[in-house]
Short mmCIF file of all heavy atoms in Angstrom, two decimals:
data_model
loop_
_atom_site.label_atom_id
_atom_site.label_comp_id
_atom_site.label_asym_id
_atom_site.label_seq_id
_atom_site.Cartn_x
_atom_site.Cartn_y
_atom_site.Cartn_z
N THR A 399 -5.63 -103.19 110.80
CA THR A 399 -6.62 -102.73 109.81
C THR A 399 -6.25 -101.32 109.40
O THR A 399 -5.33 -100.77 109.90
CB THR A 399 -8.07 -102.79 110.40
OG1 THR A 399 -8.05 -101.96 111.61
CG2 THR A 399 -8.51 -104.17 110.74
N GLY A 400 -7.09 -100.77 108.51
CA GLY A 400 -6.76 -99.48 107.91
C GLY A 400 -7.10 -98.27 108.75
O GLY A 400 -7.64 -98.43 109.86
N PRO A 401 -6.85 -97.08 108.20
CA PRO A 401 -7.05 -95.85 108.94
C PRO A 401 -8.48 -95.59 109.33
O PRO A 401 -8.73 -94.88 110.35
CB PRO A 401 -6.58 -94.71 107.97
CG PRO A 401 -6.40 -95.37 106.65
CD PRO A 401 -6.25 -96.85 106.85
N GLU A 402 -9.46 -96.25 108.64
CA GLU A 402 -10.87 -96.07 109.04
C GLU A 402 -11.10 -96.55 110.46
O GLU A 402 -11.95 -95.96 111.20
CB GLU A 402 -11.79 -96.75 108.05
CG GLU A 402 -11.72 -98.22 107.91
CD GLU A 402 -10.50 -98.71 107.16
OE1 GLU A 402 -9.78 -97.94 106.56
OE2 GLU A 402 -10.24 -99.97 107.19
N THR A 403 -10.37 -97.55 110.93
CA THR A 403 -10.49 -98.00 112.28
C THR A 403 -10.00 -97.01 113.29
O THR A 403 -10.60 -96.81 114.42
CB THR A 403 -9.67 -99.35 112.52
OG1 THR A 403 -9.96 -100.23 111.38
CG2 THR A 403 -9.97 -100.01 113.82
N VAL A 404 -8.98 -96.20 112.91
CA VAL A 404 -8.49 -95.16 113.82
C VAL A 404 -9.52 -94.06 113.88
O VAL A 404 -9.82 -93.55 114.97
CB VAL A 404 -7.10 -94.59 113.28
CG1 VAL A 404 -6.59 -93.53 114.21
CG2 VAL A 404 -6.12 -95.73 113.18
N TRP A 405 -10.15 -93.72 112.71
CA TRP A 405 -11.21 -92.70 112.75
C TRP A 405 -12.36 -93.21 113.65
O TRP A 405 -12.89 -92.44 114.45
CB TRP A 405 -11.77 -92.45 111.33
CG TRP A 405 -10.92 -91.58 110.48
CD1 TRP A 405 -10.31 -91.92 109.31
CD2 TRP A 405 -10.61 -90.14 110.67
NE1 TRP A 405 -9.66 -90.84 108.76
CE2 TRP A 405 -9.81 -89.75 109.60
CE3 TRP A 405 -10.94 -89.24 111.66
CZ2 TRP A 405 -9.36 -88.47 109.50
CZ3 TRP A 405 -10.43 -87.94 111.56
CH2 TRP A 405 -9.67 -87.53 110.52
N ASP A 406 -12.71 -94.48 113.55
CA ASP A 406 -13.79 -95.00 114.39
C ASP A 406 -13.36 -94.89 115.89
O ASP A 406 -14.28 -94.55 116.75
CB ASP A 406 -14.04 -96.50 114.13
CG ASP A 406 -14.83 -96.70 112.87
OD1 ASP A 406 -15.46 -95.73 112.39
OD2 ASP A 406 -14.89 -97.85 112.37
N ALA A 407 -12.13 -95.15 116.17
CA ALA A 407 -11.69 -95.05 117.59
C ALA A 407 -11.83 -93.62 118.12
O ALA A 407 -12.22 -93.39 119.24
CB ALA A 407 -10.29 -95.53 117.70
N LEU A 408 -11.52 -92.65 117.20
CA LEU A 408 -11.61 -91.25 117.61
C LEU A 408 -13.03 -90.76 117.75
O LEU A 408 -13.42 -90.16 118.73
CB LEU A 408 -10.87 -90.36 116.57
CG LEU A 408 -9.39 -90.62 116.39
CD1 LEU A 408 -8.87 -89.89 115.17
CD2 LEU A 408 -8.63 -90.06 117.69
N THR A 409 -13.88 -91.15 116.72
CA THR A 409 -15.20 -90.53 116.75
C THR A 409 -16.21 -91.33 117.58
O THR A 409 -17.08 -90.77 118.21
CB THR A 409 -15.72 -90.44 115.28
OG1 THR A 409 -15.73 -91.74 114.70
CG2 THR A 409 -14.91 -89.52 114.39
N GLU A 410 -16.08 -92.66 117.57
CA GLU A 410 -17.03 -93.50 118.29
C GLU A 410 -16.58 -93.75 119.75
O GLU A 410 -17.34 -93.85 120.64
CB GLU A 410 -17.22 -94.84 117.62
CG GLU A 410 -17.64 -94.68 116.11
CD GLU A 410 -19.07 -94.19 115.93
OE1 GLU A 410 -19.94 -94.57 116.80
OE2 GLU A 410 -19.35 -93.44 115.08
N LEU A 411 -15.30 -93.96 119.91
CA LEU A 411 -14.78 -94.47 121.23
C LEU A 411 -14.11 -93.30 122.00
O LEU A 411 -13.64 -93.51 123.10
CB LEU A 411 -13.82 -95.65 121.05
CG LEU A 411 -14.33 -96.86 120.28
CD1 LEU A 411 -13.34 -97.99 120.29
CD2 LEU A 411 -15.69 -97.32 120.77
N ARG A 412 -14.11 -92.14 121.44
CA ARG A 412 -13.57 -90.92 122.04
C ARG A 412 -12.11 -91.10 122.46
O ARG A 412 -11.68 -90.69 123.58
CB ARG A 412 -14.45 -90.54 123.29
CG ARG A 412 -15.86 -90.33 122.82
CD ARG A 412 -16.89 -90.54 123.88
NE ARG A 412 -16.94 -89.45 124.83
CZ ARG A 412 -17.78 -89.38 125.86
NH1 ARG A 412 -18.64 -90.38 126.03
NH2 ARG A 412 -17.81 -88.37 126.68
N ALA A 413 -11.34 -91.73 121.64
CA ALA A 413 -9.95 -92.07 121.97
C ALA A 413 -9.18 -90.78 122.25
O ALA A 413 -9.16 -89.85 121.48
CB ALA A 413 -9.28 -92.82 120.77
N GLU A 414 -8.35 -90.84 123.32
CA GLU A 414 -7.49 -89.75 123.66
C GLU A 414 -6.02 -90.05 123.25
O GLU A 414 -5.19 -89.19 123.21
CB GLU A 414 -7.52 -89.45 125.16
CG GLU A 414 -8.86 -88.92 125.60
CD GLU A 414 -8.90 -88.63 127.07
OE1 GLU A 414 -8.11 -87.76 127.52
OE2 GLU A 414 -9.63 -89.28 127.76
N ARG A 415 -5.73 -91.31 123.12
CA ARG A 415 -4.49 -91.83 122.52
C ARG A 415 -4.86 -93.06 121.73
O ARG A 415 -5.92 -93.68 122.00
CB ARG A 415 -3.47 -92.27 123.58
CG ARG A 415 -2.85 -91.18 124.45
CD ARG A 415 -1.60 -91.73 125.25
NE ARG A 415 -1.78 -92.99 125.86
CZ ARG A 415 -1.73 -93.26 127.18
NH1 ARG A 415 -1.60 -92.28 128.04
NH2 ARG A 415 -1.87 -94.45 127.60
N ILE A 416 -4.03 -93.37 120.77
CA ILE A 416 -4.28 -94.53 119.93
C ILE A 416 -3.21 -95.61 120.17
O ILE A 416 -2.01 -95.27 120.04
CB ILE A 416 -4.30 -94.16 118.42
CG1 ILE A 416 -5.38 -93.09 118.13
CG2 ILE A 416 -4.49 -95.37 117.51
CD1 ILE A 416 -6.81 -93.60 118.18
N GLY A 417 -3.62 -96.80 120.44
CA GLY A 417 -2.74 -97.96 120.57
C GLY A 417 -2.28 -98.35 119.16
O GLY A 417 -3.11 -98.75 118.31
N HIS A 418 -0.99 -98.24 118.86
CA HIS A 418 -0.38 -98.47 117.55
C HIS A 418 -0.74 -97.37 116.54
O HIS A 418 0.08 -96.53 116.28
CB HIS A 418 -0.76 -99.88 116.99
CG HIS A 418 -0.22 -100.99 117.85
ND1 HIS A 418 1.03 -101.45 117.75
CD2 HIS A 418 -0.84 -101.74 118.76
CE1 HIS A 418 1.20 -102.44 118.62
NE2 HIS A 418 0.08 -102.63 119.28
N GLY A 419 -1.93 -97.47 115.92
CA GLY A 419 -2.28 -96.48 114.90
C GLY A 419 -1.47 -96.56 113.64
O GLY A 419 -1.43 -95.59 112.84
N THR A 420 -0.84 -97.67 113.45
CA THR A 420 0.17 -97.81 112.38
C THR A 420 -0.35 -97.43 111.01
O THR A 420 0.34 -96.72 110.26
CB THR A 420 0.62 -99.33 112.28
OG1 THR A 420 0.82 -99.81 113.63
CG2 THR A 420 1.93 -99.48 111.54
N SER A 421 -1.59 -97.87 110.68
CA SER A 421 -2.07 -97.49 109.35
C SER A 421 -2.48 -96.03 109.16
O SER A 421 -2.87 -95.64 108.05
CB SER A 421 -3.28 -98.45 109.03
OG SER A 421 -4.33 -98.20 109.91
N SER A 422 -2.41 -95.21 110.21
CA SER A 422 -2.70 -93.80 110.09
C SER A 422 -1.86 -93.17 108.96
O SER A 422 -2.25 -92.16 108.38
CB SER A 422 -2.44 -93.07 111.35
OG SER A 422 -3.11 -93.61 112.45
N ALA A 423 -0.66 -93.76 108.76
CA ALA A 423 0.31 -93.20 107.80
C ALA A 423 -0.31 -93.13 106.40
O ALA A 423 0.14 -92.43 105.52
CB ALA A 423 1.58 -93.96 107.78
N ARG A 424 -1.35 -94.01 106.15
CA ARG A 424 -1.91 -94.10 104.81
C ARG A 424 -2.97 -93.00 104.56
O ARG A 424 -3.51 -92.88 103.51
CB ARG A 424 -2.65 -95.46 104.66
CG ARG A 424 -1.68 -96.56 104.57
CD ARG A 424 -2.46 -97.83 104.06
NE ARG A 424 -2.35 -98.88 105.04
CZ ARG A 424 -3.38 -99.74 105.32
NH1 ARG A 424 -4.53 -99.65 104.75
NH2 ARG A 424 -3.18 -100.75 106.18
N ASP A 425 -3.27 -92.15 105.63
CA ASP A 425 -4.31 -91.15 105.44
C ASP A 425 -3.78 -89.82 105.92
O ASP A 425 -3.78 -89.49 107.15
CB ASP A 425 -5.50 -91.61 106.28
CG ASP A 425 -6.68 -90.66 106.25
OD1 ASP A 425 -6.47 -89.54 105.80
OD2 ASP A 425 -7.78 -91.06 106.66
N PRO A 426 -3.34 -88.91 105.00
CA PRO A 426 -2.74 -87.67 105.35
C PRO A 426 -3.71 -86.78 106.21
O PRO A 426 -3.29 -86.07 107.12
CB PRO A 426 -2.50 -86.98 103.99
CG PRO A 426 -2.44 -88.06 103.02
CD PRO A 426 -3.35 -89.19 103.55
N LYS A 427 -5.07 -86.88 105.93
CA LYS A 427 -6.01 -86.10 106.73
C LYS A 427 -6.02 -86.56 108.18
O LYS A 427 -6.09 -85.74 109.10
CB LYS A 427 -7.40 -86.27 106.10
CG LYS A 427 -7.70 -85.34 104.97
CD LYS A 427 -9.23 -85.09 104.89
CE LYS A 427 -9.57 -84.24 103.66
NZ LYS A 427 -10.13 -85.03 102.61
N LEU A 428 -5.89 -87.85 108.31
CA LEU A 428 -5.87 -88.44 109.70
C LEU A 428 -4.61 -87.94 110.39
O LEU A 428 -4.66 -87.53 111.59
CB LEU A 428 -5.97 -89.96 109.63
CG LEU A 428 -5.84 -90.69 110.94
CD1 LEU A 428 -6.97 -90.23 111.98
CD2 LEU A 428 -6.01 -92.25 110.72
N LEU A 429 -3.45 -88.00 109.76
CA LEU A 429 -2.22 -87.58 110.35
C LEU A 429 -2.35 -86.11 110.80
O LEU A 429 -1.89 -85.76 111.89
CB LEU A 429 -1.02 -87.69 109.40
CG LEU A 429 -0.54 -89.19 109.13
CD1 LEU A 429 0.69 -89.12 108.16
CD2 LEU A 429 -0.13 -89.83 110.45
N ALA A 430 -2.92 -85.24 109.93
CA ALA A 430 -3.10 -83.86 110.27
C ALA A 430 -3.99 -83.71 111.49
O ALA A 430 -3.72 -82.84 112.34
CB ALA A 430 -3.64 -83.09 109.06
N HIS A 431 -5.03 -84.54 111.51
CA HIS A 431 -5.97 -84.45 112.63
C HIS A 431 -5.29 -84.84 113.92
O HIS A 431 -5.44 -84.16 115.01
CB HIS A 431 -7.16 -85.39 112.36
CG HIS A 431 -8.21 -85.44 113.46
ND1 HIS A 431 -9.26 -84.58 113.44
CD2 HIS A 431 -8.29 -86.14 114.58
CE1 HIS A 431 -10.01 -84.79 114.54
NE2 HIS A 431 -9.39 -85.78 115.24
N LEU A 432 -4.47 -85.90 113.90
CA LEU A 432 -3.80 -86.40 115.09
C LEU A 432 -2.82 -85.35 115.59
O LEU A 432 -2.69 -85.03 116.79
CB LEU A 432 -3.06 -87.68 114.81
CG LEU A 432 -3.92 -88.91 114.50
CD1 LEU A 432 -3.00 -90.06 114.00
CD2 LEU A 432 -4.74 -89.35 115.67
N ALA A 433 -2.11 -84.71 114.59
CA ALA A 433 -1.12 -83.64 114.97
C ALA A 433 -1.85 -82.45 115.57
O ALA A 433 -1.45 -81.93 116.61
CB ALA A 433 -0.30 -83.26 113.74
N GLU A 434 -2.84 -81.98 114.85
CA GLU A 434 -3.59 -80.80 115.29
C GLU A 434 -4.15 -80.95 116.65
O GLU A 434 -4.11 -80.02 117.51
CB GLU A 434 -4.66 -80.40 114.24
CG GLU A 434 -5.39 -79.13 114.60
CD GLU A 434 -6.60 -78.87 113.71
OE1 GLU A 434 -6.76 -79.51 112.67
OE2 GLU A 434 -7.38 -78.01 114.16
N HIS A 435 -4.77 -82.10 116.96
CA HIS A 435 -5.45 -82.28 118.25
C HIS A 435 -4.54 -82.88 119.33
O HIS A 435 -5.02 -83.31 120.37
CB HIS A 435 -6.70 -83.12 118.03
CG HIS A 435 -7.71 -82.41 117.20
ND1 HIS A 435 -8.60 -81.50 117.70
CD2 HIS A 435 -7.92 -82.44 115.83
CE1 HIS A 435 -9.31 -80.96 116.69
NE2 HIS A 435 -8.94 -81.54 115.58
N ARG A 436 -3.19 -83.03 118.98
CA ARG A 436 -2.29 -83.57 119.97
C ARG A 436 -2.74 -84.90 120.52
O ARG A 436 -2.71 -85.18 121.71
CB ARG A 436 -1.98 -82.64 121.12
CG ARG A 436 -1.43 -81.29 120.72
CD ARG A 436 -0.04 -81.33 120.20
NE ARG A 436 1.06 -81.50 121.19
CZ ARG A 436 2.32 -81.77 120.87
NH1 ARG A 436 2.66 -81.98 119.60
NH2 ARG A 436 3.26 -81.89 121.79
N ILE A 437 -3.22 -85.80 119.62
CA ILE A 437 -3.56 -87.14 119.96
C ILE A 437 -2.41 -88.04 119.75
O ILE A 437 -2.01 -88.33 118.61
CB ILE A 437 -4.83 -87.62 119.16
CG1 ILE A 437 -6.03 -86.75 119.61
CG2 ILE A 437 -5.13 -89.11 119.47
CD1 ILE A 437 -7.17 -86.81 118.61
N PRO A 438 -1.78 -88.56 120.84
CA PRO A 438 -0.53 -89.28 120.72
C PRO A 438 -0.78 -90.69 120.14
O PRO A 438 -1.85 -91.29 120.33
CB PRO A 438 -0.02 -89.40 122.15
CG PRO A 438 -0.82 -88.42 122.94
CD PRO A 438 -2.13 -88.29 122.23
N LEU A 439 0.24 -91.16 119.42
CA LEU A 439 0.26 -92.55 119.03
C LEU A 439 1.17 -93.29 119.94
O LEU A 439 2.28 -92.86 120.23
CB LEU A 439 0.72 -92.69 117.52
CG LEU A 439 -0.12 -92.10 116.46
CD1 LEU A 439 0.48 -92.42 115.06
CD2 LEU A 439 -1.57 -92.66 116.56
N GLU A 440 0.74 -94.50 120.31
CA GLU A 440 1.54 -95.41 121.14
C GLU A 440 2.24 -96.40 120.15
O GLU A 440 1.63 -97.40 119.75
CB GLU A 440 0.71 -96.17 122.09
CG GLU A 440 -0.06 -95.27 123.09
CD GLU A 440 -1.26 -95.94 123.73
OE1 GLU A 440 -1.52 -97.16 123.49
OE2 GLU A 440 -1.98 -95.24 124.51
N VAL A 441 3.39 -96.02 119.68
CA VAL A 441 4.06 -96.81 118.63
C VAL A 441 4.90 -97.91 119.31
O VAL A 441 5.58 -97.63 120.30
CB VAL A 441 4.96 -95.78 117.80
CG1 VAL A 441 5.74 -96.61 116.71
CG2 VAL A 441 4.13 -94.73 117.22
N CYS A 442 4.80 -99.14 118.69
CA CYS A 442 5.52 -100.25 119.28
C CYS A 442 6.19 -100.99 118.08
O CYS A 442 5.71 -101.96 117.54
CB CYS A 442 4.54 -101.26 119.90
SG CYS A 442 3.36 -100.49 121.04
N PRO A 443 7.39 -100.42 117.64
CA PRO A 443 7.94 -100.90 116.38
C PRO A 443 8.22 -102.40 116.32
O PRO A 443 7.83 -103.07 115.33
CB PRO A 443 9.29 -100.11 116.25
CG PRO A 443 9.13 -98.95 117.22
CD PRO A 443 8.16 -99.37 118.30
N THR A 444 8.93 -102.93 117.32
CA THR A 444 9.28 -104.36 117.25
C THR A 444 8.03 -105.30 117.26
O THR A 444 8.03 -106.30 116.58
CB THR A 444 10.24 -104.75 118.35
OG1 THR A 444 11.40 -103.93 118.19
CG2 THR A 444 10.65 -106.17 118.43
N SER A 445 7.04 -104.86 118.08
CA SER A 445 5.77 -105.58 118.04
C SER A 445 5.21 -105.76 116.61
O SER A 445 4.79 -106.84 116.21
CB SER A 445 4.81 -104.96 118.97
OG SER A 445 3.45 -105.30 118.69
N ASN A 446 5.20 -104.65 115.91
CA ASN A 446 4.63 -104.68 114.58
C ASN A 446 5.36 -105.60 113.60
O ASN A 446 4.71 -106.14 112.71
CB ASN A 446 4.62 -103.20 113.97
CG ASN A 446 3.75 -102.29 114.77
OD1 ASN A 446 4.05 -101.11 114.91
ND2 ASN A 446 2.68 -102.79 115.41
N ILE A 447 6.66 -105.76 113.85
CA ILE A 447 7.45 -106.69 113.01
C ILE A 447 7.13 -108.14 113.45
O ILE A 447 6.88 -109.05 112.62
CB ILE A 447 8.95 -106.49 113.10
CG1 ILE A 447 9.29 -104.97 112.83
CG2 ILE A 447 9.71 -107.39 112.13
CD1 ILE A 447 8.74 -104.44 111.52
N ALA A 448 7.13 -108.32 114.81
CA ALA A 448 6.92 -109.70 115.33
C ALA A 448 5.61 -110.28 114.97
O ALA A 448 5.43 -111.47 114.73
CB ALA A 448 7.19 -109.70 116.84
N THR A 449 4.58 -109.44 114.99
CA THR A 449 3.20 -109.94 114.59
C THR A 449 2.98 -109.86 113.07
O THR A 449 1.90 -110.18 112.62
CB THR A 449 2.09 -109.11 115.30
OG1 THR A 449 2.10 -107.75 114.85
CG2 THR A 449 2.21 -109.18 116.82
N ARG A 450 3.94 -109.36 112.36
CA ARG A 450 3.95 -109.24 110.89
C ARG A 450 2.92 -108.22 110.41
O ARG A 450 2.39 -108.34 109.32
CB ARG A 450 3.78 -110.59 110.23
CG ARG A 450 4.85 -111.57 110.76
CD ARG A 450 5.04 -112.82 110.08
NE ARG A 450 5.91 -113.70 110.81
CZ ARG A 450 7.08 -114.15 110.40
NH1 ARG A 450 7.48 -113.88 109.22
NH2 ARG A 450 7.80 -114.98 111.14
N ALA A 451 2.59 -107.29 111.27
CA ALA A 451 1.71 -106.19 110.89
C ALA A 451 2.47 -105.20 109.88
O ALA A 451 1.90 -104.59 109.05
CB ALA A 451 1.26 -105.40 112.06
N VAL A 452 3.78 -105.17 110.13
CA VAL A 452 4.66 -104.36 109.20
C VAL A 452 5.80 -105.32 108.80
O VAL A 452 6.22 -106.15 109.59
CB VAL A 452 5.26 -103.14 109.98
CG1 VAL A 452 6.27 -102.39 109.13
CG2 VAL A 452 4.14 -102.19 110.45
N ARG A 453 6.24 -105.20 107.56
CA ARG A 453 7.19 -106.19 107.02
C ARG A 453 8.60 -106.04 107.62
O ARG A 453 9.16 -107.01 108.11
CB ARG A 453 7.25 -106.09 105.52
CG ARG A 453 7.08 -107.46 104.82
CD ARG A 453 6.81 -107.26 103.34
NE ARG A 453 7.70 -106.35 102.69
CZ ARG A 453 8.94 -106.66 102.21
NH1 ARG A 453 9.33 -107.91 102.30
NH2 ARG A 453 9.64 -105.72 101.63
N THR A 454 9.13 -104.82 107.61
CA THR A 454 10.48 -104.60 108.09
C THR A 454 10.50 -103.30 108.91
O THR A 454 9.64 -102.47 108.65
CB THR A 454 11.53 -104.50 106.96
OG1 THR A 454 11.23 -103.27 106.22
CG2 THR A 454 11.50 -105.70 106.07
N LEU A 455 11.54 -103.15 109.76
CA LEU A 455 11.64 -101.90 110.53
C LEU A 455 11.80 -100.74 109.60
O LEU A 455 11.31 -99.58 109.83
CB LEU A 455 12.80 -101.96 111.48
CG LEU A 455 12.49 -102.74 112.77
CD1 LEU A 455 13.77 -102.85 113.66
CD2 LEU A 455 11.40 -102.05 113.62
N GLU A 456 12.55 -100.97 108.48
CA GLU A 456 12.77 -99.86 107.56
C GLU A 456 11.47 -99.35 106.94
O GLU A 456 11.36 -98.19 106.59
CB GLU A 456 13.73 -100.31 106.40
CG GLU A 456 15.20 -100.32 106.81
CD GLU A 456 15.48 -101.23 108.00
OE1 GLU A 456 14.89 -102.34 108.07
OE2 GLU A 456 16.27 -100.82 108.86
N GLU A 457 10.47 -100.20 106.88
CA GLU A 457 9.19 -99.79 106.29
C GLU A 457 8.27 -99.27 107.37
O GLU A 457 7.08 -98.95 107.10
CB GLU A 457 8.51 -101.01 105.59
CG GLU A 457 9.23 -101.38 104.31
CD GLU A 457 8.75 -102.77 103.81
OE1 GLU A 457 7.62 -102.86 103.29
OE2 GLU A 457 9.50 -103.77 104.00
#
Side-chain angles (χ1 to χ4, degrees):
T399 57
E402 63 286 350
T403 312
V404 180
W405 281 116
D406 281 346
L408 294 168
T409 56
E410 305 289 323
L411 308 184
R412 302 154 78 177
E414 293 181 63
R415 289 194 318 244
I416 300 287
H418 296 279
T420 318
S421 63
S422 307
R424 289 193 239 143
D425 181 344
K427 277 206 183 106
L428 176 55
L429 286 182
H431 179 91
L432 295 171
E434 183 190 343
H435 296 276
R436 299 291 283 167
I437 295 163
L439 293 184
E440 301 160 1
V441 179
C442 311
T444 297
S445 160
N446 298 146
I447 308 306
T449 64
R450 305 191 191 242
V452 175
R453 230 165 48 85
T454 65
L455 279 175
E456 281 57 41
E457 290 167 76

